[in-house]
Amino acid sequence: MSRIGKRPVPVPAGVTVTLDGRTLTVKGPRGELRRTFHPSMTIAVEGGEVLVSRPSDETLHKALHGLSRTLVANMVEGVTKGYRKALELQGVGYKAEVTKDAVQLAVGFSHPVRYAKPAGVTITAETPTQLKIEGADKELVGQVAAEIRGIRPPEPYKGKGIRYAGEKVRRKAGKTAQAAK
């Protein structure tokens, strides 16, 4: 049996979990998340716990068992604590400006790049070179961070670009002058 899948997900105080068929809804202080699970997985809300079980030891069911339990745990943690990702802009003149519904990025192109904020995510700029992305949905927070980083990923020669906070960029040696013959 799956070591991860068989562990129950505790539901903390202030969080309500409702099950409607295959759709699980989790409400908490940071918002509401809803997800529809695979039809072969059985989800039960008993007491203060959510239990996930599988019908057989088939390879697909084993994989879905651990996945489904982890998705439920991420939903519960998201509505209680939330998730955050931090991005850094490195390069001369690189900066980010957060408006009401978008992020304006100046990252070395001839024009500023506009990234529209999706619903359920808040983006703040503590300094012009640091962005913080926060939200209840772990998948959405990671996707938004990856899309913003994808606008100008860090390049290996000078290290300029948008990177995750603490990300190490492997640097390459540039061309060297050819010796005189």
Side-chain angles (χ1 to χ4, degrees):
M1 187 158 199
S2 170
R3 282 183 234 168
I4 294 172
K6 68 182 176 184
R7 292 187 1 221
V9 178
V11 179
V15 176
T16 59
V17 178
T18 55
L19 185 64
D20 182 30
R22 294 183 333 218
T23 304
L24 187 75
T25 306
V26 181
K27 292 181 190 175
R30 292 199 176 253
E32 176 181 340
L33 296 175
R34 180 183 318 260
R35 182 179 287 272
T36 303
F37 289 91
H38 195 273
S40 60
M41 292 296 108
T42 305
I43 299 173
V45 180
E46 296 175 4
E49 297 177 333
V50 179
L51 301 166
V52 180
S53 59
R54 65 175 187 239
S56 70
D57 284 342
E58 213 174 290
T59 307
L60 174 68
H61 293 156
K62 284 181 178 181
L64 287 172
H65 192 205
L67 171 71
S68 300
R69 190 261 178 212
T70 303
L71 291 173
V72 172
N74 287 344
M75 290 169 71
V76 170
E77 186 176 340
V79 298
T80 54
K81 298 176 190 170
Y83 290 100
R84 72 174 46 100
K85 289 266 189 184
L87 295 173
E88 298 172 347
L89 283 74
Q90 288 194 347
V92 177
Y94 284 24
K95 63 181 179 175
E97 184 182 326
V98 179
T99 60
K100 187 176 76 170
D101 61 340
V103 178
Q104 199 88 347
L105 298 163
V107 286
F109 296 120
S110 62
H111 58 284
V113 179
R114 186 176 187 275
Y115 181 81
K117 288 189 215 177
V121 172
T122 58
I123 302 174
T124 56
E126 293 158 356
T127 64
T129 59
Q130 292 181 335
L131 286 175
K132 190 165 38 169
I133 303 157
E134 296 177 306
D137 189 355
K138 184 176 188 177
E139 193 175 335
L140 184 61
V141 168
Q143 183 66 36
V144 168
E147 286 173 1
I148 291 175
R149 181 184 181 272
I151 292 170
R152 186 70 147 197
E155 53 94 19
Y157 295 102
K158 291 185 179 179
K160 298 184 339 180
I162 303 171
R163 62 177 73 180
Y164 297 113
E167 179 183 1
K168 301 272 190 258
V169 176
R170 223 167 135 195
R171 303 288 293 273
K172 290 183 179 179
K175 291 183 180 179
T176 55
Q178 189 175 6
K181 291 184 180 181

